[in-house]
Amino acid sequence: MHGPRSSKVLVMDFGAQYAQLIARRVREHHVFSEIVPHELKASEILKMDPKAIILSGGPKSVNLEHAPRIDPAILELGIPILGICYGAQLLASMLGGVVSRREAGEYGKIEMSVFESIGIMEGMPETTDVWMSHFDAVTDLPKGFQLLASTPDAPCAVFEDATRKITAVQFHPEVEHTVLGNKVFDNFLHRIALLESNWTNYSIIEEAIEKIQLQVGSSKVICALSGGVDSSVAAALVHRAVGKQLHCVFVDTGLMREGEAKTVEHTFREQFEIDLISVDASNRFFSQLEGVIDPERKRKIIGESFIRIFEETALEIRDAKYLVQGTLYPDVIESGTKTAARIKSHHNVGGLPDDIDFELVEPLRELFKDEVRAIGEELGLPEEIVWRQPFPGPGLAVRVVGEVTRERVAIVRAADRIVGEEVTRANLDKRALWQSFAVLADIRSVGVMGDERSYAYPIILRAVASSDAMTADWARLPYDLLERISSRIVSEVPGVNRVVYDITSKPPATIEWE
Ligand code: XMP
C-alpha cells in the first residue's frame, strides 16, 4: 500500500443540482472528493478523516424552521470549510450572522466587486463575473469574519474567517459561467486547506489495483464485456491487477454497431492478451426476435437471452468467484447506498438476476465518466472504445422500429456507420454531442432514383446534446453535415430512399426510439 489517501474533501449535499459538479471540480484539481449527506454527525465526519469540507448549495431558505443544517460540532473540528450559496448562508446563520430575504434575488451572471484579494479571493481582479442563483442573502456577517466581495443584491457575497479557515461564497464557483471559479477552488484547496494534489490518473490506477488484489486474492474473476467504455475500462483495470485470473465473456448478439465485435476481440485478446470467450449468438437472438415488434418484448427477450448465454458460458470458467461490474459513482450516489446488494440489476450486462452466486468487483465505483475515460486512455485502450457514445444494452434492435431481422439490422448498421464517420469528420465536440445515430422506421415512402420509382424505408437521424441522458436537447447539427449524411445514406445504403431528422427533445421524447 502507498498509505491512505492523504487528502480527501467531503462535499456535504443539501440537495444541490451542482453537488456532483463541485466534487468533479475538486477532483480536477487532483484532490479526491466524495459527496456525503448533510446529516452526518461530527464524529462520523472525523472517522472519514477529510482534510476539507464543502457545503453545497440547496433549494431551501435557511430561515425556514426545518431548513437542513449541519451538526454544529463540525464547525469546531478545525477542518477548513467552504460554504457555497446555501452553504454560505448556513455558515452565516449558524455562526451568528443574518440572512435576509431580498426584494430581488440574483440569477445568472452578475458582476462582483472584490474589496480584498486575499484568502479565497487571492489573485482576483477588482471586478469579476460570477454565476448567482439566490433569493436570500447574507446581510450581516458573523463575528470574526471579514468581508471580501459583494454584488448589488448580495452585500456579503464573499466572507472569510482566516483564523478558523471558514470561508463562504454566495456565488457558484463550480459552474463554467463563473469566470474565475477554478481560481476559487485552487485558493480553497491549496492556499487555505493546504492540500496536496495527488489524486492523479496514476494514483487512481495504483489504488484500484491494490484494492482489487486485496479483494480477490488468487480467485478467478469473470467479466462480461459489452464493448462499452465502462466494462472495458473495468476489465482492463482488473486485468492489470490480477492478470490471468481474469476471464472475459463477450456475447455477440448480432445487434452491435459495425466493427464493434472485432474491436472488442482484437483489443482484449490480442492487445491485452486476456482470456476472452467470444460467443457468436446472433442466430439465437434473431430467431427469438422473429415477428416481435413490441419494444418492451424485444428488450425482455434480449435481456433474458443474454443472461442465459452468459450463464452457460460462465459455467465453462470453473471456480470463478468474482464478477466485474462497471458501476460508476453517479450510479452509487443515485442508488443512495454504499453497500449495494450482491448483484445489482445492471443494464451493462443485461440485468443479471439476484441469485447468481458471484461477489462483485466494482473498480469504478468512485469515478465519474470522464475519469473513467481518462484512465481508459492511460491503460492503453483504443480511442474508439474510450470515446464511444453510450449504446443501449439491447443494441440495434431498439433502433429498428418494427420487426428485427438480420437484413433490417444491416441497414441501420450501415446508416449508423455513415452517421458516425461524418460526425467524426465534422470534428464536433465529443462532450457537446451526447449521441448521434440512425433509426430505421417501419414505414415506406415513394422516391425516385435514376429514372426508377423507389418504395423504401426512411432512416431517422437522431442527434442529441445532453450531460447525463436524463434530459436532452436535439442537436443543432450544421446543415452541410446533415446534407452529407443524408446523401451518403441514400446513395450507399440499399433499401433506404429518405432521411429525416428528429427534432424532439427529451422530455417529451426519449433519446432512443424504443
Ligand atoms: P432514453 O431512450 O431512455 O435513453 O432517453 C437514455 C440513455 O440510455 C441509453 N439506453 C440504454 N443504456 N441499456 C443501456 O445501457 C439499455 O437498455 C438502454 N436503453 C437506453 C440511451 O442510449 C441513452 O443514452
Side-chain angles (χ1 to χ4, degrees):
M1 292 288 276
H2 295 257
R5 263 177 206 145
S6 51
S7 355
K8 178 189 328 187
V9 174
L10 294 184
V11 177
M12 300 189 79
D13 184 12
F14 291 93
Q17 280 165 285
Y18 298 132
Q20 284 197 29
L21 204 47
I22 297 172
R24 288 171 58 162
R25 291 285 173 261
V26 173
R27 290 179 180 200
E28 279 164 18
H29 284 85
H30 303 294
V31 176
F32 180 66
S33 172
E34 204 177 334
I35 301 168
V36 295
H38 67 266
E39 292 94 346
L40 288 192
K41 295 270 165 274
S43 55
E44 294 170 294
I45 297 264
L46 268 184
K47 268 192 222 140
M48 303 177 81
D49 191 29
K51 299 292 185 258
I53 294 173
I54 298 180
L55 309 180
S56 84
K60 295 259 167 62
S61 162
V62 287
N63 291 323
L64 290 176
E65 200 184 332
H66 296 296
R69 295 181 166 259
I70 54 169
D71 177 358
I74 292 172
L75 300 172
E76 310 299 328
L77 295 176
I79 300 171
I81 300 179
L82 166 65
I84 294 175
C85 193
Y86 180 86
Q89 296 174 6
L90 184 66
L91 285 174
S93 156
M94 291 182 71
L95 291 164
V98 177
V99 177
S100 325
R101 173 130 298 203
R102 310 284 292 173
E103 255 169 43
E106 286 176 317
Y107 299 93
K109 201 191 270 186
I110 305 282
E111 189 179 84
M112 181 173 80
S113 309
V114 179
F115 313 127
E116 300 280 353
S117 46
I118 53 170
I120 195 83
M121 291 285 103
E122 176 90 36
M124 294 286 172
E126 281 176 16
T127 59
T128 182
D129 282 340
V130 296
W131 187 262
M132 287 286 200
S133 177
H134 68 106
F135 214 92
D136 291 355
V138 178
T139 45
D140 267 316
L141 292 185
K143 233 176 111 202
F145 278 78
Q146 184 179 9
L147 181 63
L148 304 186
S150 71
T151 61
D153 249 289
C156 307
V158 180
F159 48 97
E160 186 168 291
D161 179 339
T163 322
R164 281 196 284 175
K165 298 196 172 209
I166 297 181
T167 186
V169 298
Q170 178 61 60
F171 63 89
H172 289 276
E174 70 276 22
V175 305
E176 275 172 27
H177 315 276
T178 294
V179 185
L180 292 170
N182 250 337
K183 184 83 189 123
V184 172
F185 282 107
D186 183 34
N187 286 340
F188 177 65
L189 298 171
H190 299 124
R191 290 175 184 274
I192 297 174
L194 305 174
L195 298 180
E196 270 177 64
S197 283
N198 49 13
W199 167 255
T200 58
N201 291 337
Y202 179 76
S203 74
I204 296 173
I205 292 171
E206 290 290 290
E207 230 172 85
I209 288 173
E210 281 168 12
K211 257 197 204 155
I212 297 164
Q213 288 170 339
L214 209 63
Q215 186 188 358
V216 309
S218 57
S219 302
K220 274 192 197 166
V221 186
I222 55 177
C223 176
L225 281 173
S226 68
V229 53
D230 304 342
S231 67
S232 299
V233 174
L237 255 182
V238 173
H239 181 249
R240 182 73 70 97
V242 300
K244 298 272 175 231
Q245 284 162 249
L246 174 69
H247 302 264
C248 290
V249 176
F250 173 61
V251 178
D252 185 353
T253 56
L255 303 165
M256 318 285 284
R257 288 165 283 192
E258 186 151 310
E260 203 159 10
K262 276 217 177 70
T263 306
V264 170
E265 286 175 6
H266 175 82
T267 304
F268 291 95
R269 196 171 279 154
E270 263 116 82
Q271 190 186 332
F272 282 84
E273 297 182 2
I274 289 180
D275 172 53
L276 172 70
I277 305 181
S278 176
V279 190
D280 178 357
S282 58
N283 283 339
R284 196 153 150 184
F285 281 92
F286 283 117
S287 74
Q288 273 167 349
L289 288 167
E290 213 177 296
V292 178
I293 53 171
D294 177 61
E296 279 312 300
R297 271 201 67 211
K298 283 185 193 171
R299 283 177 172 272
K300 212 158 177 279
I301 289 171
I302 294 167
E304 283 174 4
S305 297
F306 186 95
I307 292 162
R308 220 153 295 137
I309 295 165
F310 178 75
E311 277 178 325
E312 287 164 18
T313 316
L315 280 180
E316 295 172 22
I317 305 160
R318 302 210 169 269
D319 309 321
K321 263 175 76 185
Y322 292 90
L323 178 69
V324 180
Q325 290 265 279
T327 317
L328 303 191
Y329 192 44
D331 307 329
V332 177
I333 304 170
E334 264 150 43
S335 71
T337 53
K338 279 267 144 203
T339 43
R342 194 150 57 143
I343 281 259
K344 185 172 118 191
S345 151
H346 202 277
H347 49 220
N348 275 352
V349 288
L352 293 171
D354 291 335
D355 56 3
I356 283 193
D357 205 14
F358 290 115
E359 238 179 89
L360 289 188
V361 179
E362 298 179 297
L364 313 178
R365 259 182 93 81
E366 291 187 326
L367 304 180
F368 289 111
K369 191 91 174 184
D370 42 2
E371 294 169 329
V372 169
R373 291 207 158 109
I375 67 167
E377 281 178 339
E378 186 91 18
L379 289 168
L381 286 169
E383 191 173 318
E384 62 217 277
I385 287 185
V386 170
W387 287 102
R388 188 157 268 166
Q389 292 181 353
F391 187 62
L396 296 174
V398 292
R399 292 182 181 170
V400 169
V401 180
E403 193 183 3
V404 182
T405 61
R406 221 178 249 284
E407 296 69 36
R408 300 193 76 220
V409 168
I411 293 178
V412 83
R413 179 182 292 128
D416 183 73
R417 170 179 50 81
I418 294 171
V419 176
E421 284 170 2
E422 290 303 328
V423 165
T424 306
R425 228 163 50 139
N427 229 347
L428 295 177
D429 184 356
K430 290 174 204 155
R431 274 159 266 251
L433 196 58
W434 177 264
Q435 269 171 304
S436 48
F437 56 87
V439 175
L440 180 65
D442 65 347
I443 49 168
R444 285 187 286 173
S445 73
V446 174
V448 53
M449 285 178 96
D451 288 330
E452 296 276 323
R453 175 188 190 273
S454 67
Y455 186 54
Y457 295 117
I459 279 288
I460 298 151
L461 179 62
R462 181 79 165 135
V464 295
S466 174
S467 59
D468 54 10
M470 301 294 285
T471 60
D473 196 9
W474 60 277
R476 272 59 170 176
L477 293 184
Y479 281 174
D480 45 353
L481 172 60
L482 291 173
E483 187 190 331
R484 269 198 307 278
I485 291 174
S486 161
S487 62
R488 275 196 63 193
I489 289 177
V490 173
S491 60
E492 295 174 33
V493 184
V496 177
N497 66 349
R498 204 179 276 267
V499 174
V500 300
Y501 192 35
D502 181 350
I503 51 166
T504 330
S505 291
K506 172 184 179 176
T510 53
I511 296 176
E512 303 289 345
W513 268 54
E514 295 195 332

